[in-house]
Amino acid sequence: MSYGKKHRDPQEWIAEAMGQFESSGIRKVFDLARKLKDPVNLSIGQPDFPVPEVVRKAAIGAIDRGQNSYTVTQGLPELREGILARARASLPAECFTDRSILMTSGTTGALVLALNCVLNPGDEVLGFDPWFVMYPNLVALDGARFIAVDTAPSFVPDPERVRALITPRTKVMIINSPANPTGAMWPEEVLRALAELCLEKGILLISDEIYSMFSYDGPFISPARFNPQTLVIDGFSKSHAMTGWRVGYAHGPTRLIEEMIKLQQFTFVCAPSMAQHGAIAALDVDMSAEVASYKERRDFIRGELARDYDIGQPGGAFYLYVRAPHGRNGTEFVAEAINRNLLIIPGKVFSHHDTHFRISYAATMRTLERGVEILKDMAKG
Ligand code: PMP
């Protein structure tokens, strides 16, 4: 059969906004991982413990009972109420004078909906360098600009520097503490200053709290404590090792949540039904043993590398953000590590600087020991 002489180059169908983002640099390392034999993999940003049994059973039970259809767009009432009840226990009462919640397809779903619902082309979003890889890309998709506040070398921002970058187009600020990729937990006074700055300037504060459970040196502090209009986004991917289940949520000002529900009706429809049933069970599971085990791994790898490397202050999440030694650039250092069978992520993926690399210690002790050995050898230069 002939369809005419010339096929159109499919490239011509691709939207301009897509040209602004490259396929994730992290995926490139994952692709490499598949080719290496028995690599020492410290590149993966997901927990290595199993999904708790009661959670698995609850989801399987839901499937078996036939709870396989759409849920209401905003998510199962019991799940939403359970999450809000927990938020009420940790945030001041004034946060709840105007606060609603919706369940989303992962924390990513919450981010996508929130940014789409608030950004107009040309708006500016304040974020921080290094950033979580999705932020600049999702902002670009809306035709908005991601303005990255440099936080090197401490990886804690200076609120006065942030203030100086605010323009009449600044609409959103995204905070992620504990942070991916640095593992930094920002001090209370910094979170307070940024949260109050958003209030003063009428900027929507989005707090990505996906690593809140992994706070090792003190309690987790939400910037929502200092700004009742904060949109909190979070999910079960990291806390309960449910990355593939796609359950997240957002709670914040009701008007904004209403709009996100409207957009979800026409995009994701709802978070996966059986996974929401599992998440109800997850709310009551004590994960403190898992957190303690991650703290031990953090202490181990930090202790082992501290003599040879500049590793900053990894107070949370499960990452170390390490400076490549001897003034080497991060990309070259990572290429050499990969040659030695060690998978880590170059800092360039998250930053304008090419000075660091990310280690994930969400791995077995044996893997961490092997990684430490290679890194110590590489530090000899
Ligand atoms: N925010 C941050 C900071 C993350 O690190 C991740 C996952 N790597 C996400 C959001 C997305 O998580 P989810 O699986 O819930 O979509």
Side-chain angles (χ1 to χ4, degrees):
M1 211 191 302
S2 163
Y3 293 99
K5 283 201 185 78
K6 216 170 132 207
H7 287 176
R8 190 158 179 200
D9 177 356
Q11 176 58 35
E12 292 172 30
W13 290 318
I14 308 299
E16 278 165 30
M18 292 304 296
Q20 298 186 44
F21 48 109
E22 270 188 53
S23 164
S24 159
I26 299 182
R27 294 276 151 222
K28 285 182 196 153
V29 176
F30 289 174
D31 290 344
L32 263 172
R34 276 197 290 275
K35 288 179 200 142
L36 294 179
K37 201 174 148 270
D38 192 24
V40 182
N41 197 344
L42 301 184
S43 70
I44 298 178
Q46 64 178 332
D48 68 333
F49 52 83
V51 175
E53 191 180 2
V54 286
V55 179
R56 300 197 306 265
K57 287 219 162 110
I60 293 166
I63 293 172
D64 288 343
R65 282 193 303 276
Q67 291 171 314
N68 297 300
S69 41
Y70 305 124
T71 68
V72 284
T73 292
Q74 60 270 38
L76 296 173
E78 194 183 340
L79 180 54
R80 281 183 289 132
E81 280 152 23
I83 293 166
L84 277 185
R86 280 157 185 79
R88 269 200 192 87
S90 63
L91 292 175
E94 59 169 344
C95 283
F96 294 88
T97 51
D98 172 29
R99 184 160 292 266
S100 300
I101 182 169
L102 89 151
M103 300 308 303
T104 54
S105 282
T107 309
T108 304
L111 262 175
V112 169
L113 294 175
L115 293 173
N116 272 293
C117 284
V118 299
L119 292 178
N120 291 314
D123 283 343
E124 292 173 7
V125 175
L126 277 174
F128 300 88
D129 178 341
W131 53 75
F132 169 49
V133 282
M134 273 182 201
Y135 302 155
N137 293 320
L138 293 180
V139 168
L141 204 55
D142 289 322
R145 294 180 61 211
F146 185 76
I147 310 293
V149 184
D150 198 350
T151 64
S154 66
F155 305 120
V156 176
D158 169 359
E160 283 315 304
R161 241 168 125 176
V162 181
R163 177 184 287 276
L165 289 170
I166 293 174
T167 75
R169 296 303 312 251
T170 309
K171 197 161 202 185
V172 173
M173 181 188 294
I174 308 181
I175 290 182
N176 171 225
S177 168
N180 179 5
T182 61
M185 265 185 82
W186 296 353
E188 176 170 344
E189 65 271 16
V190 170
L191 292 169
R192 176 195 285 273
L194 294 174
E196 289 178 352
L197 183 60
C198 287
L199 265 186
E200 177 194 326
K201 298 284 184 183
I203 293 168
L204 169 65
L205 174 56
I206 299 180
S207 178
D208 179 346
E209 303 188 352
I210 191 163
Y211 296 104
S212 57
M213 196 181 87
F214 303 92
S215 301
Y216 306 120
D217 301 328
F220 166 72
I221 297 165
S222 171
R225 267 173 50 184
F226 316 109
N227 179 339
Q229 288 193 307
T230 304
L231 182 74
V232 171
I233 62 168
D234 200 342
F236 294 82
S237 285
K238 313 281 166 161
S239 58
H240 297 76
M242 288 161 59
T243 51
W245 294 43
R246 313 311 303 138
V247 201
Y249 53 87
H251 55 83
T254 298
R255 184 65 199 93
L256 178 51
I257 298 293
E258 278 171 1
E259 212 63 15
M260 289 168 68
I261 292 171
K262 190 169 87 187
L263 184 55
Q264 177 146 276
Q265 279 167 2
F266 297 110
T267 51
F268 303 99
V269 182
C270 62
S273 164
M274 64 293 287
Q276 288 190 61
H277 285 280
I280 293 173
L283 286 175
D284 294 320
V285 180
D286 176 8
M287 301 304 288
S288 51
E290 282 76 5
V291 175
S293 146
Y294 275 57
K295 181 177 190 292
E296 262 172 41
R297 298 178 215 197
R298 191 271 317 248
D299 292 347
F300 167 76
I301 195 159
R302 182 173 63 175
E304 289 290 327
L305 297 181
R307 245 175 54 136
D308 295 321
Y309 288 92
D310 170 4
I311 51 177
Q313 301 283 331
F318 31 70
Y319 307 110
L320 294 189
Y321 201 59
V322 186
R323 183 182 290 280
H326 314 302
R328 297 178 62 184
N329 84 41
T331 306
E332 276 171 30
F333 186 85
V334 170
E336 190 194 324
I338 291 172
N339 271 335
R340 293 176 179 231
N341 229 22
L342 170 64
L343 294 175
I344 48 181
I345 308 283
K348 191 95 187 66
V349 168
F350 323 97
S351 172
H352 291 307
H353 302 289
D354 191 6
T355 48
H356 284 66
F357 58 93
R358 188 190 79 176
I359 294 176
S360 162
Y361 50 88
T364 63
M365 280 305 283
R366 179 72 200 114
T367 305
L368 294 180
E369 283 161 6
R370 288 173 68 203
V372 160
E373 203 177 306
I374 298 172
L375 285 167
K376 278 186 174 169
D377 198 51
M378 287 179 73
K380 290 179 189 149

